[in-house]
Structure formats: C-alpha cells, structure tokens
Amino acid sequence: MTASTAAPTQRPQVTEAFAKRTAIAALVGTAMEWYDFFLFTTASAIVFNVQYFQTEDLALATIYSFGTMAVGFVARPIGGIVFGHIGDRIGRKKVLMITIIGIGLVTGLIGLLPNANTIGVWAPIMLIILRIGQGLCVGGEWGGAATAAAEAAPPESRSFWAALPQIGSPIGTLLSSGGFFILGLTVSTEAFDAWGWRVPFVLAIPLLGLAVYVRNTLEESPVFKAAVEGEDVAKEVPIVQLFKNSWREVIVGFMCNLLGLAAFFLVTTYVVSYGVNNLGMSKNQMLAATLVGAAVEIFTILWVGTWAKKIGANRITVISGIATVLVAFPVWLMVNTGNVWLVILAVVIGMQALSMAYGVNASVLTALFKPEYRTSGVSISCNLSAVISGFVPMIATALTAAFSGSWVPAAIMLMIIGAITAVGGMLAPRFNVMDDGYKA
C-alpha cells in the first residue's frame, strides 16, 4: 500500500494536558534556537560590520555584514529539506533534538571566533561557514516545532497551543538584544568591541544543556505515531510527494509566512542599523526599542492564539497583512524623527502588526499539508520565505544609500510584504486538509 492509496490516518485523541506539555517543551527549545539566531542578526547591525569587514565605507561594511546574515537564510531551505525528511520518516522529536544541539554549538563557536584584525580574511570566511551551520539547523527547527505543537493539540484549541512556541521568537529577541543592551550599560565601548559582544554567544553553550533537557521530555507526535502504526507514512521521498501533490500549498504557505519574518527583520534589525548609522542614535536606544517591542509581542501572540479560536487563523493573517500596510508609512515617519520615544512607539506598533500573522503561522501552515509530508511542507514554506527575509536588511540598506538616505523605500517594502501575506491568508482556506473538521 503506497502513501497515495493508503486510507487516511485518523487523528488520535489528545488532551489539553498533553497539548500543554508538548507546546511548552517546544517553546523552551524554540526560544533557545531564536536566541542563538537573533544574536547574529543583532550583531550584524552593530558588531560584525566593524569586527569582520575592514573597509572605511560604513554603508558598504554594513551591507557585507547583512549579506553574511542573509547566508544563513539561504541555508535554511536546505535544512528544511533534510530535517523535514527526517521528521516525516523518523519522527518530529528527533528533528528537534538534532537541530537544538547543532545551533547551540555553532553559536558558541561564533563567540570564540577571532576577528579580521587577528586572522584577516579567514575571519569573515569562518563567520560565513558558521552562519550556514546556524541556518541549516534553524531550517529544520521551526517546521518540527510547529508540526509537533499543532498535532498534539485538540482541534478546538489548536490555534492557542500552536501559537505558544511562537513566543520563542520574542523571548529570543529579549534575551539576545537584552544581552547586548546590558553589556552596553556595564562595559565601555572599547571593552564591548574587544570582548563584550562575545559573551552572549558563549552563553549559548550552557543554555544548550537546559534546552536539551527540556526537549528530551517532549513526546513523539501522536499523529506521526498513528501514521506509523497505520503504515501511512510517506513511501516516496517526502519532498517529492510534497511538490507532486501540494506545490500550490507551498506557495500559499510562503505568502502567509513572509510577513512574520521579512517585516520582522525590517522593523527590528534594519531599524536598529538605520537609527545608529543614519540618525546618529545610540546602540542602546535602538536596542531598547526592540526590547519593548518584543515584550509586547509576547502578549500579542497569546492574544491572537485565543482570538483565532473564534474567527480562524487565516482571517487573522489577512488582518495582520492589511494592518501592516496601513501602519508602514506612519511607523517610518516616527522612526525618522530620531526621537527615542517615537522610535520605540514605532517599533512597537510595527512589530505588533506583523506579529498577529506570526502568532498564527503554525496553525495556518500545518493545516495546508497532509501528515505524511507535513513537516517537509511546513519547513519548506517557512524557509522559502526566510530566504527572501534574510536579504531584506541588506536590500533596505542598499536602497537607503541609493536614495540619499531616504526611508521611503523601506516603508514601501513593508507595505508590499504586508500585502503579499494578506493575499496568502485569503487563499489558505481553500487548501485546508486537517481531518478533524477544524478550519484554520
């Protein structure tokens, strides 16, 4: 019996308690993963352009730095293919254990990497290699976590429990930006540039032990167990099945996921760089804006996870996209004032508009794909949008330089990203394949 002819696997009964345990275990590991990944994005804006790229042109050095950041996103689809295959063939839990160990070790090594003054051209080369390692691991992480959390939850509360691991993103932002913020307050600029920036990276290694311990308590997805018992796992290579049967769903998933990633890096990573390099604001002022935005984002994600139970995750995706389009120009007008309070308000507003879609991404994407290739489908959709997202700060920096420091291109970029996700949210209900009657 092949996967295409097998009887559909019946969704096993799950409890709220089981859903809670799974979601929390996924959350702890996801927070660790995003902490590691966002350390790099923050450092790209304020550290790597100086430490690893030796040029007197600050804009060019920043573009090089953001380009290195983008390399990690290019690697993510490859990680999505590899770990999606493992998740659909061997199990969701194994993916989550492998990815968390990999990214923790790589992040620690970045903290120990000599800079360009010490080893010359080998410094950026090694930085790029380590960033690729980060990208490969994160490429499998989110798809596995989203699938595990969604499959472990009862239909009526899936949107909430699937949203819980999404909080790992703002927690990761708080930990990474917060680490740099505290160091900026406690050590001199010279000490920060010499060694201070390395501390948050090296701390990833002891944090890895905690994350592995918690992740090890995660039980295998009941949907995957039922598929194995019913011999309904993929007989073909999952990625082949995915593009043979669900290539349209991959495109829709890409569109729905784009806002939560691309706009996030525009409103956080690029805004930090713009504020420091174009407006003359301090690193800590810009990091404070990101910290406040991330703290509020936690409550936004919890709220939309609950709200989605009433109106559906797809509708929230549409609302989020439209909201982002509407606030794009007001947000950038406030940022461009250079007033620290208006900048903080702008970042908070921008982050909450995009975070509504991000909060329900797991519900939306997991509903698009059948269990036998669900991890692959979610991972590929997410990571294709991540490739675009990774280049957003670099593109925004280049456009700002090309238009004499103007913020208008960045505002237009934000509007376009929001519109794409709004259309994706409108299309998604046509492809819902969850077998329990719940419509995302």
Side-chain angles (χ1 to χ4, degrees):
M1 186 186 301
T2 65
S4 60
T5 60
T9 301
Q10 294 299 311
R11 184 181 178 90
Q13 294 298 312
V14 288
T15 64
E16 293 290 330
F18 180 78
K20 180 180 180 180
R21 290 196 306 273
T22 302
I24 290 176
L27 165 63
V28 171
T30 301
M32 168 70 184
E33 296 271 9
W34 286 123
Y35 166 73
D36 291 354
F37 205 67
F38 290 158
L39 276 178
F40 200 104
T41 62
T42 304
S44 294
I46 62 176
V47 175
F48 292 154
N49 56 335
V50 177
Q51 294 285 328
Y52 290 93
F53 300 97
Q54 296 179 324
T55 173
E56 295 180 0
D57 187 333
L58 181 60
L60 184 60
T62 302
I63 290 172
Y64 287 158
S65 181
F66 282 149
T68 303
M69 179 189 115
V71 168
F73 288 90
V74 174
R76 283 181 59 168
I78 301 172
I81 293 172
V82 173
F83 292 113
H85 178 88
I86 294 172
D88 289 326
R89 279 287 181 85
I90 303 175
R92 317 324 192 194
K93 179 179 177 178
K94 289 182 175 60
V95 167
L96 298 180
M97 294 299 293
I98 295 170
T99 56
I100 199 169
I101 292 171
I103 196 172
L105 293 176
V106 167
T107 302
L109 289 174
I110 291 173
L112 302 174
L113 182 65
N115 62 18
N117 288 330
T118 305
I119 59 173
V121 71
W122 285 105
I125 291 174
M126 292 302 299
L127 186 66
I128 290 170
I129 291 172
L130 291 171
R131 180 58 171 177
I132 290 171
Q134 272 195 329
L136 291 172
C137 293
V138 171
E141 156 64 24
W142 188 83
T147 302
E151 291 182 342
E156 64 276 7
S157 60
R158 182 190 306 136
S159 60
F160 178 78
W161 294 118
L164 199 62
Q166 300 295 79
I167 298 174
S169 174
I171 290 176
T173 301
L174 285 169
L175 292 174
S176 57
S177 295
F180 284 125
F181 182 82
I182 292 171
L183 285 165
L185 292 176
T186 56
V187 303
S188 66
T189 300
E190 292 76 17
F192 180 86
D193 290 339
W195 58 265
W197 68 268
R198 299 180 181 275
V199 174
F201 284 90
V202 176
L203 284 176
I205 295 177
L207 288 174
L208 172 62
L210 173 64
V212 169
Y213 172 78
V214 175
R215 270 279 169 90
N216 198 43
T217 66
L218 182 69
E219 295 184 44
E220 184 55 81
S221 161
V223 172
F224 180 79
K225 286 182 178 179
V228 171
E229 292 171 0
E231 296 185 354
D232 195 29
V233 294
K235 299 302 187 294
E236 291 183 275
V237 177
I239 192 69
V240 173
Q241 275 196 292
L242 173 68
F243 283 106
K244 181 187 296 185
N245 301 320
S246 298
W247 61 269
R248 295 177 184 84
E249 289 85 335
V250 170
I251 295 173
V252 172
F254 160 86
M255 295 171 70
C256 291
N257 197 65
L258 186 65
L259 181 61
L261 290 179
F264 177 85
F265 291 116
L266 190 59
V267 174
T268 58
T269 305
Y270 176 67
V271 166
V272 169
S273 174
Y274 181 84
V276 172
N277 298 327
N278 293 69
L279 302 179
M281 300 181 70
S282 72
K283 295 175 183 177
N284 265 20
Q285 286 175 330
M286 298 310 300
L287 289 173
T290 301
L291 288 170
V292 175
V296 177
E297 185 184 10
I298 293 174
F299 298 98
T300 299
I301 291 174
L302 290 173
W303 171 60
V304 297
T306 301
W307 190 24
K309 293 194 292 186
K310 299 179 180 179
I311 71 170
N314 293 313
R315 289 181 180 175
I316 289 178
T317 301
V318 175
I319 292 170
S320 182
I322 294 173
T324 301
V325 171
L326 294 177
V327 305
F329 268 79
V331 160
W332 274 100
L333 282 168
M334 287 189 285
V335 168
N336 205 54
T337 65
N339 180 287
V340 63
W341 298 109
L342 286 178
V343 170
I344 291 174
L345 180 61
V347 171
V348 169
I349 292 172
M351 287 184 68
Q352 305 330 301
L354 65 92
S355 293
M356 289 190 289
Y358 181 76
V360 297
N361 269 351
S363 292
V364 173
L365 268 64
T366 54
L368 294 174
F369 304 103
K370 295 179 179 180
E372 55 263 36
Y373 50 81
R374 180 169 290 150
T375 308
S376 295
V378 172
S379 296
I380 294 301
S381 299
C382 169
N383 290 309
L384 287 177
S385 60
V387 172
I388 304 297
S389 304
F391 285 94
V392 162
M394 184 175 68
I395 294 170
T397 300
L399 288 174
T400 298
F403 286 87
S404 304
S406 173
W407 53 269
V408 173
I412 293 174
M413 286 178 65
L414 191 56
M415 294 180 69
I416 293 172
I417 293 166
I420 291 172
T421 290
V423 173
M426 295 175 189
L427 295 174
R430 304 182 184 183
F431 301 100
N432 188 299
V433 296
M434 283 291 191
D435 55 4
D436 49 28
Y438 173 79
K439 298 299 181 185

